[in-house]
Amino acid sequence: GIHALALAMLLVATVPLPWVLDRASCPAEDGPLIGRGYYPIELETWPGTRLADKEFARCAKLDDLPEEGLWIFYRNTCELCAELLEYVAVAEAGQRPVVLLHLPDVPDEEPKVHDLPQGDHVRVVELPDDGDWLVTPPAGFVLSNGCVVGVKEPMRIEDHEQSVAPEIPEGCR
C-alpha cells in the first residue's frame, strides 16, 4: 500500500528521465558550488577532432567563426595572457584568423591585459559567466578546416612558433 507508493515516488524522483532532465544544458557538469557548474575543456583530447563537435562549441555559442587559425583562451587578469597577446598582436599581423576566447575574469583582481590584437582577422568571444571554465590560460589551439590540429595549455610566447605550422593529423575523428 503506502510503502509501495512511497518507493515508486522515490524511484521516479531519482531516475533521470529525458523529459525531466535536460542533459543538453550548459554548463556541462555540476560544480562544487551550489547553482554554479563548470565547463571541462580537456584540451589535450582535442587534436584530431572537429571543434564543431565539442560540447564547448555549443556552450560558448561559436557560430559564424572561422574554421581556420589560432584560438586563444585568456583572462584580462592574467599576466602571461597579457604577454602572449601583446606578442601575438605583432607576430600574427593578419596572416591567419585569430579568435580570442575571453574567460570570465577573476573578481577583484587588477586587469593585466590592456591591448588585444587588432584587425579584421581578429574576433573576440565573451564566454558565458554562468560556470567555471576548466582551462589554464593562456591556452591555445590551431584549427585547420574546422579540425583541431594542435593545442598548448598553457601557451607561452615560444609555443607560438609551433602553432604557425602545426603537424596536421590524418583526419578528424
Side-chain angles (χ1 to χ4, degrees), residues 26-27 29-39 129-132:
C26 293
E29 306 283 340
D30 291 332
L33 302 175
I34 294 173
R36 187 165 177 90
Y38 64 93
Y39 296 94
D129 191 16
D130 60 351
D132 296 317

Side-chain angles (χ1 to χ4, degrees), residues 3 13 18 29 67 71 78 82 90 94 128 132 135 142 146 148-149 161 167:
H3 295 295
E29 306 283 340
E67 290 196 349
W71 293 53
C78 164
V90 175
D132 296 317
V135 63
V142 176
V148 178
V149 295
E161 291 302 314
E167 191 175 311

Side-chain angles (χ1 to χ4, degrees), residues 8-25 30:
M9 288 174 51
L10 179 64
L11 285 174
V12 169
T14 60
V15 175
L17 302 173
W19 58 86
V20 175
L21 180 65
D22 179 9
R23 291 190 175 272
S25 65
D30 291 332

Side-chain angles (χ1 to χ4, degrees), residues 14-64:
T14 60
V15 175
L17 302 173
W19 58 86
V20 175
L21 180 65
D22 179 9
R23 291 190 175 272
S25 65
C26 293
E29 306 283 340
D30 291 332
L33 302 175
I34 294 173
R36 187 165 177 90
Y38 64 93
Y39 296 94
I41 301 297
E42 299 174 341
L43 274 181
E44 71 278 359
T45 66
W46 287 22
T49 63
R50 301 197 63 73
L51 179 62
D53 295 341
K54 296 286 173 204
E55 186 76 8
F56 160 75
R58 186 183 62 75
C59 290
K61 299 177 176 75
L62 299 181
D63 302 329
D64 300 322

Side-chain angles (χ1 to χ4, degrees), residues 94-113:
Q95 300 163 342
R96 61 182 169 177
V98 174
V99 178
L100 303 175
L101 302 163
H102 182 214
L103 296 159
D105 290 308
V106 177
D108 302 323
E109 279 195 25
E110 229 12 72
K112 311 280 188 310
V113 175

